[in-house]
Amino acid sequence: MVSTIPSGAMPYRRSPHHRGIKRQRKVKILATLGPASRDRETIAKLLKAGADAFRVNMSHGDHETHRETIANIRAVEKDLERPIAILCDLQGPKLRVGQFEGGKAFIHHGSHFTLDRDPAPGNDERVCLPHPELFGILQKGQRLLIDDGKLRLVVIRASEDAILCSAEVGGPISDRKGVNIPDAIVPVPALTEKDRRDLAFAVEQNTDWIGLSFVQRPEDVAEARRLSGGQSAIMAKIEKPAAVESLDEIIELSDGIMVARGDLGVELLPEEVPPIQKHIIEKTRRLGKPVVVATQMLESMITSPSPTRAEVSDVANAVYDGADAVMLSAETAAGQWPVEAVTIMDRIAMKVEADTTYRERIHITNTPPDATSADALSEACAQISDTLTIEGIIVFTGSGISARRVARERPAAPMLVLTPSRKTARRLALLWGAHTVITKDIGSFEEMIGKGKRMALRHGFGAAGSRLITLAGVPFGVPGSTNLLHIVTLTGNELDTPR
C-alpha cells in the first residue's frame, strides 16, 4: 500500500539555496525496503518522511529484485541530493527443523521428542534436524527453542544420530521452523554459501554497509571484512548470547553494531534484553562507532496506522540512550502503513530530542577521549557548543573518522560534514547528528573557511551573525591529521562572494 505523509508533519526543511534535506533531529532512521516500499515513488516518500538509510533484507527476494531496489534508492538519492546509506543484511546460518507428515505436528507438554538425522517426514514424536554439526555437541540440560521460542525442549541425551529431549513447553509445530540453541556456541560459520554470494553481490552493487547476522565470535567479523575487501562497512548484529560474551572484541573489529532484539529476545530471558541493549549501546558509543537499535520497534504498525504506547516508549528509550539510529523492519518492508511508520518514528525522535532532560540523559554514558589531538579537539567542539551559542560544527573529513569522533561526544550543535568521498558521505548517513555533503577537497586555510561558511548558509546552518566551529586537519587531504579548530562568524553574504 502506498501511503502519504499525514498533513501537518514537518520532518525536514530545505535551505532556500539548496535542494538537500536537513533533518531537525540527530538520531537517524533506518527503514527496511520490501514489497510495500521498494518502488521509487515510495522510497522518495520514506526519505521525505524521515528515513536516512535503507535496509535490503537478503533473507527475502532474489538478486535481480535487490538490484532493482538499489537502483531505485540511488535514483532517489540523486533526485533529492542527499547521500543515502544502503545496508544489505545477510541471512546468516538460520537453523531449521525438517518437514512433517501433512506439514505439521503437535509436541505434547512434558512428552519426549527426538531430533534425528532421518530425512523421513516427522510426527508428534520426532523430526529430522538437517544440521549434522549439531549432533554430538549438545549436552544434557541444554535448551532448544523452536519457532521463536514458542516451543522449548530440554536435552535429555545427545548422540551422533539423535537428540532426545523433554518438552518443557509444547505446542503445534510445522515444517522448517527455526531452531535457537542459546546454551552452546554452534559450530557453524556466520557466513553460509548463500551469505557469501549475497556479500559478493552487495560489494558489486557498492552498498555501504553489510549486516552480519548471528555473529558468535570476533573471527566471524574478520572473515566478513576479508571477503568484502574493505569495500563495504561491516555492521555486526548482536543476537546471540555468545556475541554478548565477546562484545568488546566484536565491537573493536566492526564498523558498527546492531542490537538485533528478535533472536536475542528468543535466546535470552525477556527481562535480560533491556539491560543488555543499554550495555551494547554504551560500549559501542565509547568506541565512537554507530549503534542501531532494531526489531519490533513499531511492530503493530504493520497492520495499524498508529503504534501502541509501549512501542512509542521503546523508540523513545533508544533515543534517550543515545543510539545512532533506530530501525523499522516489516513495518516498512511489508506493512500497510510504511510512510506513516517513518513519520511517527521521526516525530517520536524529535519530541525526545526537544526534551529539556535529553542532553543530560545521553551524557550518562561517559566517552573519555583518547590521548590524541584529534580526540582532544573533538571533545573541545562539544564543550564549546555547550558554552557558546553555536549553530553548527563543520567537519572536513575524507575517511569519516573525524566526524565519528565528534559524534561520539554527542555535541549540542548539529554537525555539517564536508567530504570529497561519496562512499564516506553515504556511510555517515547512519551517524548521529551528521548532515553530510559531498564537495571538492580543500587546499588551504582560507579555502576551508570560505567553503565552510558557504556550505553552512546553503544547508541551513545559521544566518548572519551565527557562530560556527570548523574542524579539519593540516596538511589538508592527509587522513588522520585532525589538528585544527577554528570559530567563525557568518556575515550572511558569503554566497555573494566569488569562490
Side-chain angles (χ1 to χ4, degrees):
M1 174 178 178
V2 177
S3 50
T4 57
I5 303 173
S7 61
M10 297 180 63
Y12 72 95
R13 75 181 182 200
R14 293 173 188 248
S15 161
H17 304 287
H18 200 275
R19 298 181 65 211
I21 295 169
K22 183 192 175 190
R23 302 291 182 213
Q24 298 304 295
R25 56 172 159 77
K26 296 184 173 74
V27 70
K28 301 301 180 71
I29 295 175
L30 172 61
T32 304
L33 297 180
S37 55
R38 55 182 296 270
D39 62 283
R40 183 169 170 177
E41 180 184 3
T42 307
I43 292 170
K45 288 181 179 178
L46 292 173
L47 189 75
K48 292 174 183 177
D52 301 285
F54 293 108
R55 170 176 173 257
V56 177
N57 189 354
M58 306 304 287
S59 298
H60 306 288
D62 54 27
H63 284 182
E64 191 53 45
T65 300
H66 297 321
R67 183 178 286 108
E68 183 180 332
T69 300
I70 292 167
N72 286 341
I73 296 170
R74 293 305 183 213
V76 171
E77 176 187 60
K78 182 178 180 181
D79 191 39
L80 295 181
E81 300 181 18
R82 178 180 172 87
I84 300 172
I86 299 176
L87 182 143
C88 273
D89 199 338
L90 305 182
Q91 177 176 295
K94 188 72 174 177
L95 305 176
R96 300 183 184 277
V97 299
Q99 295 177 303
F100 293 88
E101 296 172 2
K104 59 184 178 180
F106 193 93
I107 301 176
H108 294 275
H109 179 73
S111 68
H112 285 182
F113 190 82
T114 301
L115 300 155
D116 57 36
R117 301 176 68 171
D118 182 357
N123 52 39
D124 292 356
E125 298 179 351
R126 61 153 296 275
V127 74
C128 178
L129 183 62
H131 301 283
E133 62 275 6
L134 299 180
F135 292 86
I137 70 147
L138 294 178
Q139 299 177 4
K140 181 179 179 179
Q142 291 183 326
R143 294 166 296 161
L144 290 91
L145 309 176
I146 301 175
D147 192 10
D148 290 335
K150 294 182 180 70
L151 293 89
R152 187 178 304 155
L153 309 180
V154 178
V155 177
I156 297 173
R157 183 176 62 253
S159 69
E160 294 292 335
D161 300 307
I163 304 166
L164 177 65
C165 301
S166 172
E168 189 175 81
V169 178
I173 185 172
S174 55
D175 294 347
R176 305 284 298 154
K177 288 300 181 183
V179 180
N180 292 81
I181 304 175
D183 303 325
I185 294 181
V186 181
V188 294
L191 291 163
T192 64
E193 286 306 311
K194 170 179 163 44
D195 293 328
R196 290 169 183 267
R197 293 193 299 272
D198 289 343
L199 190 151
F201 168 81
V203 171
E204 171 213 318
Q205 291 293 304
N206 295 313
T207 58
D208 312 293
W209 290 87
I210 291 172
L212 188 60
S213 299
F214 300 109
V215 172
Q216 296 189 94
R217 322 166 190 83
E219 292 80 7
D220 296 336
V221 182
E223 174 70 0
R225 186 174 301 285
R226 183 186 67 80
L227 291 173
S228 73
Q231 295 303 302
S232 299
I234 305 298
M235 180 168 289
K237 296 170 65 181
I238 307 300
E239 50 195 333
K240 296 189 73 64
V244 176
E245 293 173 9
S246 300
L247 187 61
D248 289 344
E249 296 90 343
I250 289 171
I251 296 173
E252 187 69 43
L253 288 174
S254 304
D255 299 297
I257 295 291
M258 181 182 291
V259 190
R261 303 173 307 173
D263 278 88
L264 192 61
V266 171
E267 301 210 358
L268 294 168
L269 294 172
E271 64 271 21
E272 292 180 307
V273 176
I276 286 176
Q277 173 177 317
K278 291 181 181 293
H279 184 63
I280 295 170
I281 293 172
E282 180 181 5
K283 280 184 171 287
T284 310
R285 279 188 53 192
R286 281 181 177 166
L287 286 180
K289 297 184 179 182
V291 56
V292 179
V293 177
T295 325
Q296 298 176 331
M297 300 213 81
L298 296 176
E299 183 93 346
S300 66
M301 290 195 72
I302 295 172
T303 56
S304 170
S306 59
T308 67
R309 302 301 179 266
E311 289 168 341
V312 171
S313 292
D314 181 40
V315 174
N317 279 327
V319 179
Y320 275 120
D321 287 340
D324 287 79
V326 284
M327 191 179 99
L328 293 163
S329 301
E331 301 97 325
T332 50
Q336 297 175 25
W337 310 92
V339 178
E340 285 79 2
V342 172
T343 301
I344 288 173
M345 185 169 268
D346 177 85
R347 282 164 39 196
I348 296 166
M350 289 205 295
K351 194 69 173 179
V352 169
E353 292 185 9
D355 181 4
T356 55
T357 69
Y358 171 67
R359 299 287 308 153
E360 181 181 349
R361 290 175 184 272
I362 60 169
H363 285 297
I364 289 174
T365 297
N366 186 27
T367 53
D370 296 332
T372 65
S373 60
D375 270 25
L377 290 175
S378 298
E379 185 182 38
C381 282
Q383 291 176 345
I384 294 168
S385 67
D386 283 338
T387 304
L388 303 176
T389 301
I390 297 292
E391 290 293 326
I393 300 170
I394 306 170
V395 180
F396 290 85
T397 183
S399 64
I401 293 174
S402 296
R404 277 177 33 207
R405 282 177 169 141
V406 173
R408 182 177 72 166
E409 304 301 325
R410 299 297 191 255
M415 180 167 50
L416 173 61
V417 182
L418 304 179
T419 180
S421 168
R422 186 173 300 276
K423 178 182 289 188
T424 296
R426 287 170 170 168
R427 285 187 187 180
L428 294 180
L430 279 176
L431 184 69
W432 187 95
H435 176 85
T436 309
V437 177
I438 302 165
T439 183
K440 292 180 181 178
D441 212 348
I442 51 174
S444 68
F445 179 82
E446 291 76 16
E447 188 180 355
M448 177 191 80
I449 299 302
K451 174 165 282 190
K453 287 183 172 183
R454 289 194 301 273
M455 288 296 181
L457 277 177
R458 241 180 229 146
H459 290 269
F461 284 76
S466 296
R467 283 185 291 193
L468 305 164
I469 299 171
T470 55
L471 188 71
V474 178
F476 297 105
V478 177
S481 64
T482 305
N483 57 8
L484 188 154
L485 185 153
H486 190 71
I487 299 174
V488 299
T489 301
L490 295 177
T491 64
N493 64 352
E494 281 83 1
L495 292 175
D496 302 328
T497 305
R499 300 187 181 188

